[in-house]
Amino acid sequence: MSEYQYYEFAALDRPLSPQQQAELRERSSRARITPGGFINEYHWGDLKGEPLDWMTRYFDAHVYSANWYQCKLMLRLPKTLLDPAQLAVFRGNRNDSECFSGMDVGSAWVLEWAFFDDERAVELDRFNMGDGPGWLSELLPLREEILRGDQRALYLGWLLRASRDELEDDALEPAVPPGLRTLSPSQQALLRFVEFDRDWLAVAAQASADLEAVAVDETPLQARWLDSLSVDELRGVVRLMVQGHLHDAAQVVRQHYTESVRAWSVVDGTGSAEVPRRTVAQLRAGLDEARASRQAQEQQARDAERQREALKRAEYLNREILPRAGAIWGDVEAQLSRGSASAYDRALVRVLELSDALRLAGRQEEFRQRLAILMRGHGQRRVWVKRLQDAGLI
């Protein structure tokens, strides 16, 4: 099997400097390197560097895919976004997960979601010689969602660990975020990227509130927050903007606002009631029911699709085949006279259409009679007869 590895990195908060691009060029002569990122694929050899080191020094996002059933997504986030205790709720206190981890790289966290099936337990068509391109553009909005305080991707990381048997049965889930039943497009892409077991998600989502139900008009909160800012705090934000650090300014504002609202909700008693947290064992106990429900829904969808296809075929047969039955029999006769395999194939398609059209019209006897007439002249063609037998027509 040929080797395939795909590496893509993106610099979002700050573009790569000419010096940084030169440093990366020393690592690869073939990669596509721009101020916004690094892209390369390997059919032999490997990346001359460590992705985590590159994420620490240069980049904010990274996607890796290899045709030995392995893929990774890395996102770098400001250290101030999550304190260690908050992140430990999702990743655990140890950082040895093969599914979801959060690594301390000084001034930032690097979060990683991963999939690896070295035993090929399930054959997956996506891990071919071109799986990598396109994933990062689909997954990149996850970073902005997390920056805005959306913790669904973090919860999905924890749930991924539970579904891959990395957690003990008595391990408690994190607080369930709202909106698990209506994931964003990037969160849906994450499920596909790491081959997520959606039955686990269905069970977890039972305790997740709808986003609309928890949405509030933040205008009064924003006004209250603005009134609470000191002159020095405002100057600090404006200074960052003047210096060109727009992302840093936005991050300071977002963090300060989020912390203020959280503190007010505790003091005012306006915070939403916390849903009781479940254990991994309790989540697993609901899998059979979730799986049965999903399979029933999928069967209903298949049945509905078959009905639609049957209706479309019946309309086609009634409109295109039935009125021209006599001419089509003549076309079948002409095809058989050619004696080639492709002609037999075309003839069989037509005979099957005639069989279905005449059956739907209640004219089965007419079909049998016309087929018998046809076989008087061509019944000696063994290849043709075999096709009819395989199709169940004789």
Side-chain angles (χ1 to χ4, degrees):
M1 179 178 67
S2 300
E3 178 179 304
Y4 173 80
Q5 294 186 86
Y6 179 86
Y7 290 88
E8 182 171 358
F9 296 84
L12 304 173
D13 294 346
R14 295 177 182 82
L16 297 174
S17 68
Q19 179 181 345
Q20 289 174 322
Q21 293 178 64
E23 292 172 1
L24 293 171
R25 179 58 67 196
E26 291 179 359
R27 304 297 186 93
S28 174
S29 60
R30 296 186 302 108
R32 182 158 66 89
I33 302 173
T34 68
F38 174 105
I39 299 176
N40 203 4
E41 64 179 45
Y42 297 85
H43 299 277
W44 61 87
D46 201 352
L47 185 74
K48 293 181 175 64
E50 289 295 328
L52 182 59
D53 177 55
W54 285 22
M55 288 291 291
T56 303
R57 299 168 59 192
Y58 304 113
F59 298 109
D60 301 296
H62 165 54
V63 154
Y64 169 78
S65 182
N67 66 334
W68 46 78
Y69 287 46
Q70 184 175 16
C71 61
K72 295 179 182 180
L73 166 69
M74 287 183 174
L75 298 176
R76 187 173 74 172
L77 297 158
K79 178 65 73 65
T80 54
L81 185 71
L82 294 168
D83 63 41
Q86 284 179 297
L87 187 55
V89 171
F90 298 103
R91 69 159 190 172
N93 291 316
R94 297 189 305 164
N95 204 39
D96 56 357
S97 170
E98 294 184 357
C99 304
F100 176 68
S101 56
M103 292 152 283
D104 185 342
V105 294
S107 63
W109 295 111
V110 173
L111 305 184
E112 178 184 282
W113 295 258
F115 172 81
F116 184 35
D117 182 12
D118 57 345
E119 297 181 356
R120 305 294 197 273
V122 179
E123 288 299 320
L124 300 169
D125 294 335
R126 59 164 279 209
F127 287 99
N128 50 39
M129 302 301 287
D131 177 64
W135 276 117
L136 190 56
S137 61
E138 286 195 70
L139 296 167
L140 208 48
L142 287 171
R143 186 172 184 267
E144 184 60 30
E145 290 169 357
I146 297 171
L147 288 172
R148 292 199 308 266
D150 188 337
Q151 296 195 335
R152 283 178 290 179
L154 303 178
Y155 181 89
L156 291 175
W158 179 89
L159 194 61
L160 184 63
R161 297 180 62 215
S163 70
R164 302 276 168 79
D165 296 325
E166 285 194 357
L167 299 174
E168 300 295 332
D169 283 349
D170 59 355
L172 284 175
E173 68 178 337
V176 182
L180 288 181
R181 286 187 290 270
T182 53
L183 298 178
S184 70
S186 60
Q187 292 159 5
Q188 292 281 358
L190 179 62
L191 298 187
R192 298 194 305 274
F193 184 70
V194 295
E195 299 293 333
F196 200 96
D197 186 338
R198 292 184 180 249
D199 295 329
W200 277 87
L201 176 61
V203 175
Q206 293 171 2
S208 177
D210 293 335
L211 287 175
E212 295 78 5
V214 298
V216 296
D217 180 8
E218 294 195 1
T219 303
L221 291 173
Q222 293 167 359
R224 180 179 177 182
W225 174 74
L226 286 170
D227 290 340
S228 73
L229 291 176
S230 67
V231 173
D232 286 342
E233 288 170 329
L234 289 171
R235 283 177 174 168
V237 172
V238 174
R239 184 179 298 110
L240 287 172
M241 296 175 68
V242 170
Q243 293 171 348
H245 304 313
L246 299 181
H247 182 273
D248 291 344
Q251 188 59 38
V252 168
V253 169
R254 184 183 295 113
Q255 181 184 355
H256 192 284
Y257 173 73
T258 301
E259 290 176 351
S260 298
V261 171
R262 186 183 299 120
W264 293 336
S265 68
V266 173
V267 174
D268 299 342
T270 57
S272 58
E274 184 174 344
V275 176
R277 295 162 63 189
R278 297 160 294 184
T279 65
V280 170
Q282 288 172 321
L283 290 168
R284 185 179 288 109
L287 286 177
D288 288 343
E289 183 178 350
R291 188 170 294 113
S293 176
R294 172 181 56 80
Q295 291 172 345
Q297 292 175 0
E298 290 173 350
Q299 184 61 50
Q300 290 175 356
R302 287 192 294 269
D303 291 344
E305 180 62 23
R306 279 195 291 268
Q307 290 176 1
R308 286 192 293 270
E309 290 299 321
L311 180 59
K312 286 171 58 178
R313 181 169 173 79
E315 291 174 348
Y316 163 75
L317 295 173
N318 188 58
R319 182 181 65 252
E320 302 292 339
I321 303 301
L322 201 57
R324 301 176 52 247
I328 292 173
W329 282 113
D331 179 58
V332 170
E333 182 90 30
Q335 294 291 343
L336 294 179
S337 297
R338 292 189 174 94
S340 66
S342 60
Y344 289 161
D345 290 339
R346 289 192 291 272
L348 181 63
V349 169
R350 287 311 213 177
V351 170
L352 286 169
E353 290 177 338
L354 287 165
S355 174
D356 290 344
L358 292 170
R359 175 178 53 79
L360 290 173
R363 294 157 56 181
Q364 294 94 322
E365 183 59 31
E366 177 183 336
F367 173 79
R368 286 191 288 269
Q369 292 175 0
R370 291 302 300 264
L371 183 61
I373 293 171
L374 182 72
M375 296 305 289
R376 288 172 193 165
H378 302 281
Q380 76 282 4
R381 300 178 186 275
R382 287 179 295 177
V383 176
W384 167 242
V385 172
K386 180 68 163 56
R387 278 170 166 75
L388 292 177
Q389 290 172 336
D390 291 343
L393 293 174
I394 60 174

